[in-house]
Amino acid sequence: MELTGAQIIIECLKEQGVDTVFGYPGGTILNVYDELYKHSDEITHILTSHEQGAAHAADGYARATGKVGVCMATSGPGATNLVTGIATAYMDSIPVVAITCNVGVSLLGKDSFQEVDIKGVTMPITKHNFIVKDVTKLADTIRRSFYIAQSGRPGPVHIDIPKDITALKTEYEYQKPEEIHPQTDEIREEDLDKAVQLIARSERPFVFVGGGAVLSGASEELKQFVDKIQAPVADSLMGKGAYDGRSQNYTGMLGMHGTKTSNFGVTECDLLIVIGARFSDRVIGNSSTFAKNAKKIHIDVDAAEINKNIQCDCSIIGDAKVILRKLNARIEPLDHTDWLNHIYSLKQTYPMTYHKDVLTGPGVVEKIYAMTGGDAIIATEVGQNQMWAAQFFKYDRPRRLITSGGLGTMGFGLGAAIGAKLGCPNQLVFNIAGDGCFRMNMNELATASRYNIPVIEVILNNHVLGMVRQWQTLFYDQRYSNTILNDKVDYVKVAEALGARGIRVTSNEELGPALKEAMESDGPVVIECVIDCDDKVWPMVAPGASISEAFAEEDMQNGK
């Protein structure tokens, strides 16, 4: 049948099973929005307060569900407002399809009103991008974009469509989406054999899990692998929930704000098995001393990550779930009781602690965990709030922590929480925020109110940019340059003005009732938790130091 470009866009979204789109209309994309209006019973469109919020919501939807998130914007500033959200998804390998419309083909390159070369802008921050100047190629481009976003190492894809292409007509025929298969072409038998040999010879193996294990759905295979080789497990921020955070073998996060148990254990191990992680600088610290006594096995779907930051002794390229299944079939059960007992003793010696006599960030997160039993999706902003959410909530399954890891995007969490809640409507969804981050995109609270989306926004209000202040305290002789936010903003009134319920909490005694009220609400709630401006994230590794040099508050008090 013959359809316009705008109609083809909608039909292709329906082909791909898209049920929710986040966006903001404008002149060049009006034809598409006109068709969305006609198909509102099949595709729900969420009008965000800002295009960046749309990109973050699509990202959060994708992280929580495992499906492709979709966002839309018009040309010029509409398109450029998506850029931070696209880059956030790119850094964390999240499947998002961003659709923008541009000025007509004849006006491209002429500095037309609201014209930007958005394809050029997004090229470095997308897995692939397109500009469609021929309506006959539109459907296939959209289909290819969804395939690229999901296959191999996932990532965002951007499609730019000139306005006249959305009005032109061409033949359209329904196509069933191409099936996504795990990437296995580069899994080599000799690599598997070498890994098995290294594992068999090891006396002190340690498993480090990253976001790739979450994306590949490898949790069950990972558990079998860990049980078989009897190894402790640490994770990255992106790897949370791939391995059960309540397990005795779990040691916590690795790196700059990782536990001492993880940092010391990796330093002492003789074999480090890395699954779906990219050796971020925040994880490895000083690269020359990172796990220097260990052989290293790196399992990753992206060959470009192999030996990029850390040289490895063995690499297996391909889907982590498939690789672990193959390794599990080849490995004999091993006994590392003495090594595990040593790790357990480290956990006893270096527990995660905080001041429980006053309201603190860690205490708030632990209370949320206790009151939900861990059955909640936790979105975060970036900084201290993010680290506390990673450290003090036990993630027992994947896709429960929704956070900007690679890019570290302040203002990410609220939009992402909205997307996660729409993708998983039966789950409690919290966004843990600092007051600085909340200011970045607090306008999305109006989005939650407009659609009565019951997300719970928890603001850890220390009246400062907490993580930056922490660095200024420790490394800049307490020169607090532009990090103090002790002004007249009333977040409870802001919440109420934007249509949400606002609650202020200043003590531990007030926290439980406030959380109970929020969890029972059928609309958005903001809980402002007023904490001390000098609460810090512990442990910490100084920039450029070895992870074995992790220090905590008690170390500073003891002059270490």
Side-chain angles (χ1 to χ4, degrees):
M1 56 182 166
E2 193 174 62
L3 299 178
T4 66
Q7 291 171 327
I8 288 170
I9 292 169
I10 302 305
E11 292 303 320
C12 285
L13 293 179
K14 288 159 57 178
E15 277 181 12
Q16 299 295 327
V18 173
D19 54 22
T20 307
V21 171
F22 306 89
Y24 206 99
T28 63
I29 202 169
L30 274 178
N31 291 334
V32 178
Y33 270 80
D34 193 46
E35 292 304 322
L36 273 172
Y37 180 87
K38 299 171 186 175
H39 292 268
S40 58
D41 59 333
E42 297 169 283
I43 298 176
T44 298
H45 178 274
I46 300 298
L47 175 65
T48 55
S49 299
H50 189 282
E51 290 91 351
Q52 186 179 137
H56 293 328
D59 183 320
Y61 178 95
R63 293 182 199 239
T65 65
K67 299 190 289 187
V68 177
V70 180
C71 56
M72 290 182 174
T74 194
S75 62
T80 57
N81 282 343
L82 293 177
V83 167
T84 298
I86 293 171
T88 301
Y90 180 70
M91 289 292 283
D92 292 341
S93 304
I94 305 303
V96 169
V97 171
I99 298 172
T100 59
C101 287
N102 214 322
V103 299
V105 173
S106 65
L107 296 176
L108 291 170
K110 296 183 179 180
D111 294 332
S112 304
F113 177 67
Q114 290 193 331
E115 182 204 354
V116 166
D117 176 16
I118 195 63
K119 184 178 187 295
V121 171
T122 63
M123 186 175 293
I125 55 166
T126 52
K127 189 176 176 184
H128 203 81
N129 67 358
F130 302 90
I131 182 166
V132 184
K133 298 180 182 179
D134 181 348
V135 71
T136 65
K137 297 178 180 177
L138 179 58
D140 286 341
T141 300
I142 296 171
R143 292 164 182 149
R144 186 181 172 201
S145 296
F146 274 84
Y147 182 83
I148 291 171
Q150 299 171 85
S151 59
R153 180 179 184 170
V157 178
H158 170 234
I159 312 167
D160 194 36
I161 309 164
K163 183 174 183 178
D164 49 353
I165 300 302
T166 67
L168 294 174
K169 290 187 175 182
T170 191
E171 285 296 316
Y172 163 83
E173 185 175 340
Y174 169 85
Q175 284 189 19
K176 184 179 179 181
E178 189 174 351
E179 190 172 349
I180 307 293
H181 296 287
Q183 184 173 312
T184 59
D185 294 348
E186 296 182 81
I187 301 176
R188 303 190 307 171
E189 293 296 314
E190 53 265 41
D191 294 335
L192 292 166
D193 291 340
K194 186 173 183 180
V196 170
Q197 291 171 9
L198 288 171
I199 292 167
R201 294 173 191 158
S202 171
E203 296 179 356
R204 301 185 305 280
F206 208 112
V207 174
F208 173 51
V209 183
V214 172
L215 295 171
S216 67
S219 292
E220 184 57 39
E221 290 75 11
L222 175 62
K223 182 182 184 303
Q224 293 171 9
F225 180 74
V226 170
D227 289 347
K228 217 165 190 183
I229 70 170
Q230 288 198 355
V233 182
D235 54 21
S236 69
L237 184 65
M238 302 311 302
K240 288 286 174 186
Y243 187 78
D244 189 344
R246 303 166 304 173
S247 169
Q248 189 177 14
N249 283 28
Y250 178 68
T251 62
M253 229 171 19
L254 180 66
M256 179 172 282
H257 292 295
T259 64
K260 285 189 175 183
T261 302
S262 293
N263 287 353
F264 295 167
V266 166
T267 301
E268 295 174 19
C269 76
D270 65 2
L271 177 67
L272 181 62
I273 305 164
V274 181
I275 303 168
R278 58 186 177 85
F279 292 108
S280 161
D281 57 298
R282 289 297 175 100
V283 164
I284 65 176
N286 186 332
S287 60
S288 66
T289 59
F290 177 73
K292 63 181 180 180
N293 300 315
K295 299 284 187 182
K296 299 174 188 70
I297 299 171
H298 191 183
I299 297 169
D300 204 284
V301 74
D302 187 354
E305 293 296 342
I306 304 300
N307 297 326
K308 185 176 81 174
N309 296 326
I310 293 291
Q311 291 292 311
C312 292
D313 301 275
C314 171
S315 61
I316 311 173
I317 300 167
D319 181 81
K321 182 183 181 81
V322 174
I323 290 170
L324 287 173
R325 190 181 299 147
K326 289 178 178 290
L327 288 174
N328 287 337
R330 297 171 184 232
I331 294 170
E332 296 296 326
L334 301 171
D335 182 2
H336 293 124
T337 302
D338 291 345
W339 170 236
L340 285 176
N341 285 337
H342 173 64
I343 294 297
Y344 300 154
S345 71
L346 289 178
K347 290 176 71 173
Q348 293 295 319
T349 304
Y350 303 112
M352 295 292 289
T353 61
Y354 61 92
H355 298 285
K356 298 192 177 184
D357 54 332
V358 294
L359 188 68
T360 65
V364 171
V365 173
E366 270 203 340
K367 188 67 172 180
I368 293 171
Y369 178 75
M371 291 188 65
T372 62
D375 190 14
I377 292 174
I378 305 296
T380 81
E381 300 294 347
V382 170
Q384 290 180 322
N385 63 86
Q386 180 184 39
M387 293 298 101
W388 289 326
Q391 292 173 330
F392 290 95
F393 196 98
K394 297 180 178 67
Y395 299 92
D396 62 348
R397 70 198 87 167
R399 302 192 180 279
R400 289 303 180 95
L401 177 62
I402 311 295
T403 192
S404 170
L407 197 63
T409 305
M410 293 177 69
F412 166 81
L414 181 52
I418 289 170
K421 181 64 179 179
L422 289 167
C424 304
N426 296 322
Q427 283 292 325
L428 281 169
V429 177
F430 290 79
N431 181 46
I432 312 295
D435 48 323
C437 288
F438 179 65
R439 292 167 181 247
M440 291 279 187
N441 278 328
M442 63 184 179
N443 50 358
E444 294 308 332
L445 199 55
T447 306
S449 300
R450 179 186 299 117
Y451 297 100
N452 207 39
I453 302 168
V455 294
I456 303 170
E457 176 82 5
V458 179
I459 305 172
L460 304 176
N461 184 6
N462 53 11
H463 297 96
V464 294
L465 299 177
M467 187 61 86
V468 185
R469 180 184 175 90
Q470 178 167 332
W471 280 50
Q472 288 172 333
T473 300
L474 298 175
F475 309 119
Y476 290 86
D477 295 325
Q478 301 181 26
R479 293 187 296 275
Y480 300 124
S481 176
N482 292 285
T483 51
I484 297 172
L485 305 176
N486 194 14
D487 51 29
K488 298 180 180 179
V489 177
D490 185 324
Y491 293 108
V492 171
K493 289 182 179 178
V494 168
E496 292 170 349
L498 292 173
R501 172 84 171 95
I503 307 171
R504 181 172 292 112
V505 170
T506 59
S507 68
N508 286 323
E509 292 72 26
E510 295 172 341
L511 180 59
L515 287 171
K516 183 175 185 294
E517 180 180 340
M519 290 163 62
E520 292 174 351
S521 174
D522 59 0
V525 177
V526 173
I527 304 175
E528 179 196 11
C529 298
V530 182
I531 65 173
D532 190 85
C533 65
D534 281 315
D535 276 5
K536 293 181 176 60
V537 177
W538 301 113
M540 184 170 188
V541 176
S546 300
I547 61 171
S548 59
E549 299 175 48
F551 62 94
E553 184 176 25
E554 57 269 21
D555 296 318
M556 295 193 68
Q557 292 170 347
N558 295 331
K560 293 183 180 179

